Amino acid sequence: QNIAKGIVNDILKSNNDSSAAFLGTRVARLHLDEGTKRWTLVGTSGEAAFHDTPNNIVQDIQQRQQSADRDEDGNVILGDPCGYDGIILTDVSSSFGKWHRASAGVPESFATRVRRRVGARVPLFSAMIAFETESGIPVDAVSFDNDIVWFAAKSNSKPGMIPEKDASKECWTIVSTPEYAMAKIEETPMQDPKTGEF
C-alpha cells in the first residue's frame, strides 16, 4: 500500500503534461480499437458514478450529459481520445460483469482470466466519518477483533485524498468484516430479482 501511495503521490506532484487525475470519476468501460490496438477509457462521474445509485437515475443523468466529448451513454472519454498502448487496473472489481456497478467494462476474455487467478471475491462495506477537528487518535490505521468492523484508516494520512478546503477536517474510512457484509447483502440485495436493475 505504501508503494501505491508513493506512486500516486509522485504522479500528482509531477509537472508532466502526460499525467492526468480524474477525481470523482469511475471508469465505466474500456474499449480496444482492433485496428490501432490502443485502449480508450470511458468514465462516469457525479451521482452516476456511485455504486448504489438506481439505474433510472443513472440513465437520466447520462441522457442529459450527452455531448461531443462523451460516448453514446453520456460517459466522458478520459484522457487521450486516441487511446493508450496499455492500461493498469488496480481494483479487481473492475473486472466484474455488468451485474456490479464497479465493473469497468473489461473485455470478458480478460475478466475471465482475472477471476480465475483471484478466485472467490469477498464483499466489504466501508463508511467515511469526518471530524470537524483532529480526533487525537495517535495512529493512521487500526484493526479490530470484532464481528462488524475489520479495520479503519485515516484518509488524511494519504497524500491528495482530502481536498485542500477540507484539510482541517479529519476523515476515517471504516471497513466491515466480510461476514458482516455478506449478512447485509443477503438481507438487502443490490439488484431487483426480476429486472436486474440496481
Side-chain angles (χ1 to χ4, degrees):
Q1 187 176 17
N2 286 337
I3 293 171
K5 183 167 63 170
I7 291 169
V8 170
N9 194 33
D10 288 346
I11 290 170
L12 293 175
K13 282 183 182 176
S14 77
N15 291 323
N16 185 347
D17 289 338
S18 66
S19 300
F22 295 90
L23 303 177
T25 302
R26 173 178 58 82
V27 174
R29 188 168 55 257
L30 308 174
H31 173 71
L32 176 63
D33 183 308
E34 290 298 334
T36 64
K37 299 296 183 196
R38 292 177 64 87
W39 292 92
T40 303
L41 304 176
V42 179
T44 187
S45 60
E47 192 176 4
F50 299 143
H51 300 307
D52 59 351
T53 302
N55 278 2
N56 61 331
I57 294 174
V58 170
Q59 290 166 355
D60 181 55
I61 291 168
Q62 289 172 335
Q63 285 176 348
R64 285 185 277 120
Q65 291 179 336
Q66 288 182 349
S67 66
D69 63 340
R70 296 177 184 268
D71 72 356
E72 65 276 5
D73 293 324
N75 295 315
V76 178
I77 295 173
L78 303 173
D80 188 343
C82 295
Y84 300 93
D85 294 326
I87 56 170
I88 298 171
L89 303 173
T90 59
D91 181 358
V92 74
S93 298
S94 62
S95 65
F96 287 2
K98 288 187 176 187
W99 67 269
H100 195 286
R101 191 64 65 75
S103 170
V106 174
E108 188 55 36
S109 59
F110 180 77
T112 301
R113 291 190 351 235
V114 170
R115 288 191 297 268
R116 261 191 247 133
R117 182 164 185 179
V118 172
R121 174 77 194 236
V122 296
L124 301 170
F125 286 139
S126 62
M128 181 175 279
I129 297 175
F131 297 94
E132 287 295 326
T133 59
E134 288 188 27
S135 68
I137 299 171
V139 295
D140 290 339
V142 62
S143 62
F144 300 92
D145 183 15
N146 184 291
D147 292 339
I148 297 173
V149 180
W150 186 12
F151 71 91
K154 186 174 9 177
S155 298
N156 303 60
S157 67
K158 301 172 189 174
M161 289 296 292
I162 305 297
E164 284 296 319
K165 66 181 178 65
D166 296 325
S168 64
K169 296 181 175 76
E170 183 174 308
C171 297
W172 282 79
T173 301
I174 301 171
V175 180
S176 76
T177 63
E179 295 80 10
Y180 177 79
M182 281 301 297
K184 291 299 172 187
I185 289 170
E186 288 172 3
E187 182 181 302
T188 309
M190 287 175 52
Q191 291 176 286
D192 183 291
K194 292 179 184 166
T195 66
E197 288 193 356
F198 288 93

